[in-house]
């Protein structure tokens, strides 16, 4: 029996009296009542959030059995997300759907199973998502292939998934509204590979294949509706646009510029292309915000940051996000070299306040991790153990970004890496606000007296040791 079928059998054992009653109910044409419920094993948060377009519509507390249930008197058909922070996944509702979900928060995506009215299309979406994730985990080797082999390989993969899509579409007979997302999940994963290949191939092999690309290599672009607001928060679409703009915004004569000036010109190009290409205000703002977040967290040249923000403000009309991006800009300015690192509340393994300023007599390196990227946690700690031998003058502090203290303590005890100061951020929001932490692959190097040497580096950068 496949793992998926095992999940289905186990799921059917859930108490479903309320839901099944609703599934058999006859609804009037003007009735948009819908139901959503289920069980979250090993929850990381006591609440399940039900959202649309990143805005919470409802928040429900898990009961003593980690179950939840929501009745909507009127729910507009469309794509929603359900979250047990920090994890989330999509769920699509047609009119009067009554959907139950079972999920294990320790293996969120792989454990999801839907049941009830509207379950089949959502189980398809999860299966396709997992197929795309499996592809993503092996794609870097495929980027090493010469162009003909690369195209052959990804076309074969696409054909297999398209056949899966067509079979499910015929058997389930889902709505046109759902088909927009089903097709997008299928196509944009494929298009993203094509966008990534020229850059990734050159980076991994040193060979530039741009001139070798067939004239019709990017022909699919002309068939994409860049202004479809229904896709504006759909991850496959937003990710694809990011890759596409990276290609379209690239500067060919890059040897004429320093790295920081090249990054500025490239990202301003991306802003301008997005403004020209995307006319829908909602979609445009989301893409402009993604470009801004990525640039501000990758490049920390203060003069260039301001030039970038000036251009961003010309095109963006999203005042709420502008404020957030301005806050990130301020945080980055406060993390300039030779400044003192702003304070963030930390706790030690005894759950007592830890003040990193007590380490002021030694040079310090802070690096970050989360249980959701366990491979990074292990690799980073092993890397630091090597660095400690070579640079004993530094104190190494591992900052965990998860909310659960007990789970963090248990994970540290399990691996028991020696000689590293283990602390946890009391509030991720504070760390995000004061240290501009938006991704886990960040390292902060401090001189004595907690003076910043470099607040935006990475343990795994090739030249990291030169920073020390």
């Amino acid at each position: 029996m496949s793992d998926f079928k095992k999940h289905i059998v186990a799921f059917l054992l859930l108490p479903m009296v309320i839901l099944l009653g609703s599934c058999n109910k006859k609804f009037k044409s003007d009735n948009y009542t819908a139901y959503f419920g289920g069980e979250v094993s090993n929850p990381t948060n006591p609440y399940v959030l039900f959202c649309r377009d990143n805005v919470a519509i409802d928040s429900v507390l898990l009961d003593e059995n980690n179950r939840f249930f929501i009745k909507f008197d009127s729910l507009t058909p469309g794509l929603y997300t359900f979250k047990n922070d920090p994890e989330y996944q999509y769920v699509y509702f047609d009119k009067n759907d009554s959907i139950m979900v079972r999920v294990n928060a320790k293996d969120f995506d792989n454990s999801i199973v839907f049941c009830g009215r509207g379950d089949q299309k959502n189980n398809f979406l999860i299966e396709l998502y997992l197929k795309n994730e499996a592809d993503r985990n092996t794609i870097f080797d495929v980027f090493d292939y010469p162009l003909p082999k690369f195209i052959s390989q990804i076309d074969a993969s696409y054909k297999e998934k398209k056949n899966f899509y067509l079979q499910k579409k015929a058997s389930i007979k889902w709505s046109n509204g759902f088909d927009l997302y089903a097709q997008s999940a299928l196509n944009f994963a494929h298009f993203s590979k094509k966008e990534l290949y020229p850059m990734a191939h050159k980076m991994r092999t040193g060979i530039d294949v741009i001139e070798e690309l067939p004239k019709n290599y990017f022909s699919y672009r002309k068939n994409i509706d860049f202004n479809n607001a229904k896709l504006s928060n759909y991850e496959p679409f937003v990710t694809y646009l990011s890759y596409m703009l990276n290609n379209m915004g690239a500067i060919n004569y890059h040897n004429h510029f320093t790295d920081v000036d090249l990054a500025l010109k490239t990202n301003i190009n991306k802003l301008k292309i997005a403004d020209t290409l995307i006319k829908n205000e909602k979609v445009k703002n989301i893409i402009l915000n993604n470009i801004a977040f990525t640039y501000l967290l990758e490049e920390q040249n203060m003069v260039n940051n301001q030039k970038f923000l000036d251009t961003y403000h010309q095109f963006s009309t999203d005042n709420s996000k502008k404020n957030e991006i301005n806050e990130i800009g301020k945080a980055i300015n406060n993390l300039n070299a030779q400044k003192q690192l702003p304070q963030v509340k930390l706790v030690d393994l005894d759950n007592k306040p830890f003040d990193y300023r007590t380490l002021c007599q030694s040079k310090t390196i802070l690096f970050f991790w989360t249980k959701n990227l366990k491979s990074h946690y292990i690799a980073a700690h092993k890397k630091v153990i090597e660095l400690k031998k070579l640079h004993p003058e530094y104190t190494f502090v591992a900052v965990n970004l998860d909310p659960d203290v007990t789970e963090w303590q248990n994970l540290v005890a399990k691996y028991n890496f020696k000689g590293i100061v283990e602390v946890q951020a009391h509030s991720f929001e504070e760390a995000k606000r004061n240290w501009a932490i938006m991704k886990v692959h960040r390292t902060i190097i401090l001189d004595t007296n907690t003076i910043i040497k470099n607040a935006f580096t990475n343990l795994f950068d090739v030249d990291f040791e030169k920073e020390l």
Side-chain angles (χ1 to χ4, degrees):
M1 185 183 288
S2 71
D3 288 342
F4 185 75
K5 289 180 179 177
K6 287 178 183 176
H7 283 313
I8 288 286
V9 171
F11 184 79
L12 291 176
L13 298 177
L14 280 173
M16 298 181 64
V17 177
I18 297 176
L19 179 67
L20 291 177
S22 70
C23 286
N24 295 324
K25 182 179 178 181
K26 299 295 183 183
F27 294 96
K28 295 180 180 178
S29 61
D30 61 347
N31 187 323
Y32 282 83
T33 300
Y35 301 87
F36 185 53
E39 178 182 330
V40 182
S41 303
N42 303 303
T44 54
N45 190 289
Y47 288 89
V48 170
L49 296 179
F50 188 75
C51 309
R52 188 165 196 182
D53 293 338
N54 292 327
V55 177
I57 295 173
D58 208 335
S59 172
V60 58
L61 183 67
L62 294 171
D63 67 16
E64 64 275 9
N65 297 311
N66 292 327
R67 292 175 185 151
F68 69 98
F69 188 79
I70 312 170
K71 177 186 175 181
F72 300 99
D73 293 329
S74 180
L75 187 70
T76 303
L79 189 71
Y80 295 83
T81 56
F82 63 97
K83 299 182 180 182
N84 185 241
D85 278 336
E87 301 288 353
Y88 78 95
Q89 194 49 265
Y90 295 103
V91 58
Y92 188 92
F93 276 80
D94 280 307
K95 184 174 179 287
N96 301 135
D97 274 351
S98 300
I99 299 171
M100 294 286 278
V101 64
R102 188 175 186 181
V103 58
N104 184 338
K106 286 189 174 179
D107 192 16
F108 200 89
D109 296 324
N110 287 295
S111 67
I112 291 175
V113 181
F114 294 100
C115 190
R117 183 199 298 266
D119 63 338
Q120 292 186 70
K121 61 179 176 284
N122 284 295
N123 283 323
F124 159 79
L125 208 57
I126 284 293
E127 286 188 79
L128 183 58
Y129 170 83
L130 293 175
K131 288 176 184 291
N132 287 333
E133 283 298 291
D135 260 6
R136 192 179 299 183
N137 290 335
T138 58
I139 192 64
F140 287 101
D141 290 336
V142 178
F143 287 146
D144 290 347
Y145 294 169
L147 182 61
K149 185 177 179 181
F150 168 76
I151 292 175
S152 174
Q153 199 281 336
I154 66 165
D155 283 352
S157 175
Y158 177 71
K159 183 179 179 181
E160 179 185 336
K161 282 185 283 188
K162 187 170 184 178
N163 287 338
F164 171 66
Y165 155 80
L166 292 171
Q167 290 166 9
K168 291 294 185 179
K169 182 181 180 181
S171 63
I172 298 172
K173 297 181 173 59
W174 54 56
S175 65
N176 290 334
F178 176 78
D179 195 52
L180 171 67
Y181 299 101
Q183 281 200 55
S184 295
L186 171 72
N187 291 332
F188 287 121
H190 180 63
F191 298 160
S192 290
K193 294 176 189 176
K194 298 194 75 170
E195 297 287 349
L196 278 168
Y197 175 71
M199 295 179 290
H201 186 75
K202 184 176 181 180
M203 187 180 298
R204 292 174 63 86
T205 67
I207 300 172
D208 191 341
V209 295
I210 289 292
E211 298 301 324
E212 298 177 31
L213 298 179
K215 290 183 178 179
N216 66 347
Y217 183 81
F218 293 117
S219 61
Y220 54 84
R221 289 177 179 171
K222 65 178 179 283
N223 296 317
I224 296 173
D225 179 4
F226 295 107
N227 295 291
N228 193 330
K230 291 181 180 179
L231 294 175
S232 61
N233 284 288
Y234 193 42
E235 188 272 339
F237 175 70
V238 175
T239 298
Y240 166 75
L241 280 184
S242 174
Y243 295 147
M244 185 199 72
L245 288 169
N246 283 342
N247 272 338
M248 296 180 74
I251 305 289
N252 291 327
Y253 301 103
H254 50 79
N255 291 335
H256 297 184
F257 307 106
T258 64
D259 288 344
V260 291
D261 285 344
L262 178 63
L264 174 66
K265 291 180 181 295
T266 298
N267 281 277
I268 286 180
N269 263 3
K270 288 158 65 173
L271 292 176
K272 290 179 177 178
I273 292 167
D275 180 63
T276 301
L277 189 67
I278 305 170
K279 300 305 178 185
N280 182 280
E281 188 173 336
K282 180 180 178 182
V283 179
K284 182 189 295 188
N285 281 334
I286 287 172
I287 299 306
L288 293 176
N289 290 336
N290 286 345
I291 295 169
F293 280 124
T294 302
Y295 175 75
L296 291 173
L297 294 170
E298 292 290 350
E299 299 299 329
Q300 279 70 49
N301 180 287
M302 302 306 159
V303 174
N304 283 0
N305 279 355
Q306 193 55 54
K307 290 178 182 177
F308 174 84
L309 286 171
D310 289 343
T311 306
Y312 164 80
H313 288 307
Q314 289 177 26
F315 300 135
S316 175
T317 59
D318 186 351
N319 292 322
S320 62
K321 284 294 180 182
K322 277 186 179 181
N323 291 336
E324 187 176 352
I325 288 166
N326 283 336
E327 288 302 311
I328 291 175
K330 290 176 185 175
I332 290 170
N333 282 331
N334 290 334
L335 294 169
N336 206 353
Q338 305 306 313
K339 289 187 176 181
Q340 192 162 49
L341 186 67
Q343 180 74 343
V344 166
K345 292 178 184 176
L346 305 170
V347 295
D348 64 19
L349 285 168
D350 296 320
N351 202 20
K352 294 180 180 178
F354 174 85
D355 189 345
Y356 61 86
R357 291 175 298 187
T358 60
L359 305 173
C360 65
Q361 297 306 311
S362 70
K363 297 179 180 181
T364 305
I365 291 175
L366 295 95
F367 64 102
F368 302 85
W369 64 277
T370 170
K371 66 179 177 59
N372 298 313
L373 287 173
K374 199 171 290 184
S375 60
H376 168 75
Y377 162 65
I378 294 170
H381 278 69
K382 287 182 176 178
K383 177 74 173 178
V384 163
I385 288 172
E386 294 174 11
L387 289 170
K388 275 181 63 64
K389 296 175 184 175
L390 299 171
H391 302 277
E393 71 276 19
Y394 278 90
T395 298
F396 290 83
V397 180
V399 183
N400 176 259
L401 300 172
D402 299 317
D404 191 306
V405 174
T406 302
E407 196 168 11
W408 161 60
Q409 291 168 331
N410 291 339
L411 197 57
V412 171
K414 176 182 176 181
Y415 288 94
N416 196 26
F417 290 106
K418 301 290 187 183
I420 300 171
V421 179
E422 299 283 354
V423 300
Q424 186 180 53
H426 183 265
S427 164
F428 172 70
E429 287 303 315
E430 184 186 41
K432 174 183 170 182
R433 183 172 61 252
N434 291 354
W435 289 351
I437 301 296
M438 296 292 288
K439 57 183 182 180
V440 73
H441 298 88
R442 262 282 291 286
T443 304
I444 297 175
I445 304 175
L446 302 177
D447 215 328
T448 54
N449 298 313
T450 66
I451 299 299
I452 297 169
K453 194 170 183 181
N454 188 341
F456 297 92
T457 185
N458 188 328
L459 281 173
F460 298 98
D461 281 351
V462 174
D463 295 327
F464 177 74
E465 284 194 68
K466 294 179 182 178
E467 303 266 9
L468 306 183

